[in-house]
Amino acid sequence: MVIKDKSSAIKYLLIDKLGVSGGCVFIFMFFVLFLLPQHFKQSDVLDLNNFRRIRFDRDAELARRRNPNCSYYDCFNVYKCGNHQNKVTIYVYPLTEFSEEKSKTWISREFYKILKTLINSPYYTANPNEACIFVPSIDMLNQNLIDKNLVSKALASLRYWENGENHILFNMLPGENPDYHTVTDVNTANALIAGAGFDSQTYRYGFDFSIPFYSPMLADYVKITKDGDDKEYFLIAPQLNMYDNHRRMMQEIVLEDSNNNILLLQKCTLEILEDKVSSSPELMKHDIRCTFPGNSPIEYPEILERGTFCLIIRGVRLAQPTLLEAMATNCIPVVVADNIVLPFQEIVDWTLAAVKIREADLHSIKSVLNRISNERIKEMQQQVRFLYDRYFKDIETITLTMLDELNDRVFPHLALPYNAWNLPSMPNSAQNPLFLPVMGSKSQGFTAIILTYDRVDSLFTLMQKLSLVPSLQKILVIWNNQKKQPPNTSSFPKLTKPYKVIQTKSNKLSNRFYPYPEIETEAVLTIDDDITMLTPDELDFGFEVWREFPDRIVGFPSRTHVFENNEWKYESEWTNEISMVLTGAAFHHKYWNYAYTTSMPGNIKDYVDEHMNCEDIAMNFLVSNRTNKPPIKVTPRKKFKCHSRQCTNAEMLSADTNHMLERSECINLFSRIYGTMPLKSVEYRADPVLYRDPFPEKLKRFNDVGSL
Amino acid sequence: MLNFKNDNNRSKHNDIDDLYETPVNIKNKQNKQNKPNFNNYKTCTMETCFDFTKCYNDFLVYVYPPEPLNSLGAHSPASPNYQKILTAITESRYYTADPDKACIFVLAIDTLDRDSLSEDLVRNVPLRLQRLPYWNNGKNHVIFNLYSGTWPDYQELGLGFDTGQAILAKASMSIQTIRHNFDISIPLFHKHFPQRSGGTGMVTANNFPSNKKHLLAFKGKRYVHGIGSETRNSLFHLHNGRDIVMVTTCRHGKSWRELQDGRCDEDNREYDHYDYETLLQNSTFCLVPRGRRLGSFRFLEALQAGCIPVLLSNSWILPFHPHIDWKQAVIWGDERLLLQIVDVIRSISPSTIMRMRQQSQILWEQYFSSIEKIIFTTFEIIRERIPENPFRNGLTWNTSPGALLTLPTFSDTPQNFPFLLDLFGYQPKENFTAVIFVQIGQTLGPSSALFKLVKSITKSQYVNRILILWASDQKLPPRKKFPSTGHVPLHIVSSLSSPLTYSENDENESRPSISQRFQPHSLIETDAILSLDEDAILNTDEIDFAFNVWKFFPERIVGFPARAHFYDDSKNSWGYTSKWTNYYSIVLTGAAFYHRYYNYVYTNFLSHLLLKTVHQSSNCEDILMNMMVSHITRKPPIKVTQRKAYKDRESVRSPWNDPDHFIQRQSCLNTFAAVFGYMPLLKSNMRLDPVLYKDAVSNLRKKYRHIELIGNR
């Protein structure tokens, strides 16, 4: 028995071995252990040519029965898991062939892959003394192909078994004729079971792992159609192993279906099968299924690509390989299996990707599916694709997902939250870090941050003006001049509000956005040292508006961006739209300082510091991208003037072409780094409610607004 | 060809499982499996222990009538909290007085406290249950319970009676005992917990990084001996008196002196240094260790305070698990690793802290701040399990405004919920439906306001359809009386014929309610509704600008004339004003855009008490709509620029053009606030104007130049 051609021969053999037929078992046991193709990398532990052999007496000790009451808190020894900070460690027992009088253990290709994945994973340890988790290299995937007694003896003989504590056992086909239990019947004592087809009674929540029933058919399935193409069947019921009553029900539904878009598959007659196979010899038995009625042969699983929904119904077992086959073909699973524990259901939200129908309600499957909107169908298809690619696409991925779930349980403070497990990152979707719908704090007021270089007169004027704003809490002067010391304390104006001068270590624009511990308020006003024309009313009003939008940049000078000649252009004209508010005079939440400093994408932060420009554009990109919201411009446009040549933010005044080009370049560069254009243009600005209304000015709360 | 050969042998191998055909000797055992074991409902599932057929039409809850007076003429005892539960149900839209219509049954027998040493314990429950006509071994019943078991073992299922097939909505459930997907874990709440409203979350500022004095705090009892005492007895190891405050006392119970251990005196001294409330306010994290039972009051207290709970309560199933993703709001400690907990907490990043603190507030406000919310959430979880009932995904449960305000019967995709758009990167649809509510029905002609209004709307590039809801006693005018609307369809619908949405129990109120202006009409297919009174005066620029603003605030009401509420200290009540003020909190729905989801919520969700007030006064529907939307969004509405000649609605709206109208609105405001349990309206100081509004640039550069015109048109 020599395997030459991987694709066809292996596929066939795997199906039989994982699944089914008795005739092949012997061949397999032989084949798998000794003749695995050379391209498997062999590590010492899994050396197929060099493994131990252990032979048991008839009365060797058995492992204890599975303890159905185990939970993480009483059967799992958490003390073994503290050796490596924040990561579980997994030890894999070396490959061993256990045998007794009439039988011996063997290993399937799938299980071998699982072990290999474990060994190559970041969780692996070769040292059993520092292991948190132990994985015996005894294949228990298919209960029908193992000698339960022998396996039980083998488990009990393991060196670190200790009644199964912290051992994980993998199983995909539990139970056997006639009871078909939903958990393996092997004695597993206190071991954790990573199994397929649990029901809610046998699954020990928070302890066992629910894994999918891997379909060997997918090993070399290649998708033909693109997503969304050619969904000619509304529903496909592809399984050959339905219960009779379920099949009869589906047959009725098909016959009554006037739209003719439900496809029910059944076993082909031997005649058709042989005919089909002789015409295309690369096909194998399970690849061909026949339609009902009509009995014409169809290739499986490719046919599933043409279904919007695929029925995944329990047979004698709850779990079916059809689930992954449907997901691989991007067909939305309709799961009919009461009390099934779906794969990874403690972390994966199946309601986003699958439909569940009670077995007793199978008759209403059509009306249930018909009520699902087209938009929802599209969303589910996307989600099926996302889940499949991320968690299910092959044995390695499935194993790693299980390990991640395990690690989340042992280190719950590092566990990924719901969104991280279940939401594909979509362009334009936003997870706003400031998501609590509360107003910004009024009592705290705001901290003004003045980035200055050496315009001391203007700085002092600004400080004096700012100190008159009632909601100002404190002024921070960021002294960016490395050649000159800031002026002497005594020369500063006497203010009624506290201020502090911070001498920076280098002249960088990002110093303006550093999350200084001196900032004790939520709100930060960044202001250039020459912006002395804003009135206290305007600043107070700006702060009030910021309180209503504490997640956004709220400020005075605004700009916009336009798309021209295939690239973005910075625009400072008087336009009807704005998409940026310049941080030369704007409020924002202190959190954004932290985000700017620690998590600015790509090299944007360095670029800004190097070019001494565009820090405000960078901040607008950052905030718009994280919140999916535009900034808010307050009050009418003013002439913002720079009084001297050394304006750090020279564009305030100049329409200097070079400067404009640089700014446009920033926008183009940043949008490339983000992979999208996060800025959004809007046509509104915020004014005081009574602005320009014919109403006595002195009764208006903010009346000194908009003077030039 | 190995495969076919084997196929022939297959029938001999029935002992080998087959995925590709059903083994011949196996029949579907579904029916057999579905029967739970006799007298043992430990394995109950919805399929086996619940009768779905009672719930197919509607999800209604029946509450048994109070038990008959006992031989001494006294009412059977019910704790205040259980009374509140029953009141919350009977006042809600879940309630039915007809047991035949009910899906769920709730006992009149107080089962909250089943500690046999408690003074609140109701005796003879098994006997009382026997007397109930619909008990049916507990099928479709929900039993609420906060305390079970007693000294010394505090058995989780020690309720003192057989709950049968009833669903347990119970505090302190453990992962081993809960019947997954059947029972529901609820939080422990204290004796004075409010039925409605309840305290708001205490996080009023989102400071970054957290600026609390302590990192981790705990102040509470410890038990010295017995179940659950180990964890609390070890806490003193963590105390450092600076950023970690762990203070316990053994000074409780009658005989503490006899039971005390060597540490008690020292502990008590330290304990008295700290105030419980102050610690709660001044700590970033709050330790929530198990007591005798798994749950404790402090869990909700910490949540409300925005003090991130750090759990030391192994195997506790947190409230409303798995719908609520607690990983986003709490730190799971492990009692076995008690001494490591401080290191774990020190490793949490400031941005994670900010996220968790916000999430604690979201969850508190959405599901826990009142008994009503806890009960409704329990019901919604059961409702989602009923076949063919739509359900919410985990994202809806764990984001604002949450499951109770996101009605899954409205739509199966987040694209149709205004507040979920951002999360998924969806935009609202590009057009709107104008809905003009006609009450007076003045003669139509080119000079009539309605005629002009239709013309202005027709010129908007965003209008999809015009719907005229005719609620006037005047005859429905024929289509030809209206101006030509070109390609824009115009429908005139008599709202008198529309079904009343709520007043079926109310024979005196046979006239249609003014609430019908918000009915979710099938002709409304756009996300945006432009809601108008017949006498609204708007030009096309105003409409288009407002719509373009609305697109960026699809979850809010965006409109023109605004009003304000205020608290009148002299009267101790809420006041309403239509005067010019520096702020507003209401935008009148006589000229406003909002999302059509709100029509659905208004009609299908709001309490009957609220709708009845509107009906009886034929007024205040706009105030109610504003309060509802602010309740959902926790944001004020948005006022946009209007031309100065706009006539004030209050002065024009003729049927109620009298002082009574104003007083009525004030009283509505107070009634609504009482039913909501708080004042949901929020104030805004700003108005949104076009970017170049009144700026000194040429009018020709301005996109919405007609907004600056003064005059009628």
Side-chain angles (χ1 to χ4, degrees), chain B residues 191-253:
Chain B
K191 277 200 160 108
H192 307 289
F193 213 66
Q195 180 195 326
R196 208 176 263 156
S197 93
T200 51
M202 291 173 188
V203 173
T204 51
N206 228 338
N207 279 85
F208 183 92
S210 171
N211 53 359
K212 301 288 175 74
K213 184 172 171 197
H214 307 296
L215 181 67
L216 176 65
F218 172 79
K219 174 174 177 163
K221 295 190 278 198
R222 69 183 176 89
Y223 302 106
V224 189
H225 300 290
I227 188 168
S229 58
E230 270 178 56
T231 299
R232 291 189 178 198
N233 286 347
S234 318
L235 291 179
F236 73 91
H237 291 293
L238 306 179
H239 178 70
N240 67 13
R242 295 182 304 275
D243 63 339
I244 312 285
V245 176
M246 294 284 138
V247 287
T248 56
T249 180
C250 6
R251 195 173 47 208
H252 55 92

Side-chain angles (χ1 to χ4, degrees), chain A residues 12 19-21 24 71-74 76 78-79 144 173 177-180 201 205 213 240-243 245-246 267 285 289 316-317 338-339 349 351-352 358-359 361 364 371-373 375-376 379 412-413 415-419 423 428-430 433-436 439 441 444 520 522 541 544 548-549 552 574-576 589-591 594 628-629 636 681-687 689-693 695 699-701, chain B residues 2-4 6-7 10 14-23 25-30 33 43 45 47 52 56 175-176 180 204-209 314-315 325 327-328 332 334 336-337 344 354-355 358-359 361-362 387-388 391 393-395 400 412-415 422-426 545 548-549 552-553 556 580-582 584 633-634 644 684-695 697 701-704:
Chain A
Y12 164 60
V20 228
S21 116
C24 294
S71 80
Y72 177 79
Y73 299 100
D74 38 34
F76 188 83
V78 73
Y79 299 112
N144 297 122
L173 269 92
N177 196 333
D179 291 325
Y180 294 102
Q201 307 298 339
Y205 283 81
F213 188 152
L240 303 179
N241 62 344
M242 286 185 214
Y243 279 127
N245 59 337
H246 290 154
K267 245 172 93 177
K285 178 184 65 163
R289 299 182 182 188
V316 292
R317 303 176 185 290
D338 291 354
N339 292 322
D349 184 355
T351 65
L352 295 171
R358 283 199 318 153
E359 290 170 32
D361 293 333
S364 61
R371 255 177 280 151
I372 299 174
S373 70
E375 291 88 356
R376 176 94 189 111
E379 288 165 11
H413 65 285
L416 292 179
Y418 174 92
N419 295 5
L423 294 191
N428 304 323
S429 70
L434 296 158
F435 55 87
L436 183 65
M439 300 262 284
S441 164
Q444 287 186 6
E520 292 167 310
E522 287 180 272
F541 176 67
E544 284 298 325
E548 290 190 35
F549 302 98
R552 309 200 197 191
W574 294 60
T575 59
N576 286 289
H589 194 283
K590 184 185 173 187
Y591 175 79
Y594 172 80
N628 206 16
K629 287 170 182 161
S681 295
V682 295
E683 301 179 338
Y684 55 79
R685 69 164 200 246
D687 288 327
V689 180
L690 299 176
Y691 174 68
R692 292 284 194 122
D693 277 355
F695 188 71
L699 294 180
K700 292 184 182 175
R701 181 169 164 207
Chain B
L2 225 71
N3 42 351
F4 292 123
N6 285 335
D7 228 27
R10 179 155 301 158
N14 278 336
D15 55 324
I16 303 284
D17 183 68
D18 196 338
L19 286 169
Y20 299 95
E21 61 188 324
T22 307
N25 64 335
I26 302 293
K27 290 279 174 286
N28 187 350
K29 291 177 301 178
Q30 193 176 306
Q33 286 172 346
T43 58
T45 67
E47 278 76 19
F52 291 118
Y56 279 144
I175 196 165
Q176 295 100 328
H180 292 271
T204 51
N206 228 338
N207 279 85
F208 183 92
N314 285 5
S315 84
D325 179 26
K327 277 182 280 184
Q328 299 179 45
W332 274 102
D334 190 322
R336 294 172 290 181
L337 304 173
V344 166
M354 188 174 77
R355 180 165 53 74
Q358 293 180 80
Q359 189 67 11
Q361 300 295 284
I362 298 247
E388 307 201 18
F391 43 76
N393 61 41
L395 198 75
S400 188
D412 58 6
T413 151
Q415 298 177 38
D422 267 342
L423 282 168
F424 289 92
Y426 294 124
F545 174 68
N548 276 322
V549 170
F552 284 92
F553 301 95
R556 307 203 202 190
W580 293 41
T581 48
N582 282 296
Y584 60 92
T633 60
R634 300 291 158 100
K644 295 305 156 258
S684 174
N685 285 303
M686 50 140 230
R687 180 183 80 200
L688 294 185
D689 294 335
V691 171
L692 299 178
Y693 181 68
K694 303 262 178 178
D695 273 359
V697 289
R701 295 182 72 156
K702 298 182 181 177
K703 182 172 170 192
Y704 299 106

Side-chain angles (χ1 to χ4, degrees), chain B residues 51-70:
Chain B
D51 181 1
F52 291 118
T53 59
K54 288 178 181 293
C55 312
Y56 279 144
N57 294 325
D58 212 345
F59 185 85
L60 294 174
V61 180
Y62 174 76
V63 178
Y64 284 96
E67 293 191 299
L69 304 183
N70 68 15

Side-chain angles (χ1 to χ4, degrees), chain A residues 117-270:
Chain A
T117 310
L118 295 175
I119 285 173
N120 293 330
S121 79
Y123 301 110
Y124 178 71
T125 177
N127 179 359
N129 296 319
E130 61 173 32
C132 155
I133 297 289
F134 298 81
V135 177
S137 45
I138 305 170
D139 187 343
M140 297 168 58
L141 285 182
N142 183 347
Q143 186 182 325
N144 297 122
L145 299 183
I146 61 175
D147 178 337
K148 285 179 297 194
N149 219 39
L150 172 62
V151 170
S152 180
K153 285 176 182 172
L155 291 175
S157 76
L158 294 173
R159 181 148 178 211
Y160 312 100
W161 176 245
E162 289 177 38
N163 214 11
E165 185 179 86
N166 291 27
H167 281 61
I168 296 186
L169 307 174
F170 291 83
N171 168 254
M172 284 185 184
L173 269 92
E176 59 194 59
N177 196 333
D179 291 325
Y180 294 102
H181 290 144
T182 54
V183 62
T184 178
D185 292 312
V186 174
N187 286 358
T188 55
N190 287 350
L192 308 110
I193 296 174
F198 281 114
D199 67 28
S200 57
Q201 307 298 339
T202 51
Y203 181 68
R204 293 166 296 183
Y205 283 81
F207 185 72
D208 289 329
F209 295 90
S210 177
I211 59 172
F213 188 152
Y214 178 71
S215 166
M217 275 193 169
L218 295 172
D220 51 10
Y221 158 76
V222 180
K223 208 163 159 51
I224 300 170
T225 53
K226 274 189 272 165
D227 285 357
D229 281 6
D230 199 24
K231 296 280 187 193
E232 70 184 281
Y233 298 107
F234 182 61
L235 171 66
I236 300 180
Q239 279 165 244
L240 303 179
N241 62 344
M242 286 185 214
Y243 279 127
D244 286 348
N245 59 337
H246 290 154
R247 178 167 297 281
R248 280 195 301 273
M249 180 76 71
M250 286 311 297
Q251 288 173 345
E252 269 174 48
I253 291 172
V254 169
L255 294 175
E256 282 166 14
D257 178 39
S258 51
N259 297 328
N260 235 347
N261 60 7
I262 299 181
L263 178 66
L264 174 62
L265 297 180
Q266 58 184 3
K267 245 172 93 177
C268 300
T269 61
L270 211 57

Side-chain angles (χ1 to χ4, degrees), chain A residues 47-70:
Chain A
D47 188 344
L48 289 160
N49 298 313
N50 179 21
F51 52 86
R52 292 198 306 161
R53 291 189 169 84
I54 295 179
R55 201 177 161 85
F56 293 118
D57 296 337
R58 189 180 303 171
D59 50 0
E61 196 194 347
L62 297 174
R64 288 197 209 161
R65 291 178 62 86
R66 187 181 74 102
N67 175 356
N69 298 321
C70 268

Side-chain angles (χ1 to χ4, degrees), chain A residues 300-316:
Chain A
Y300 186 87
E302 289 75 7
I303 181 67
L304 300 183
E305 293 171 9
R306 286 150 73 183
T308 301
F309 293 102
C310 282
L311 178 68
I312 321 295
I313 191 162
R314 63 165 308 154
V316 292

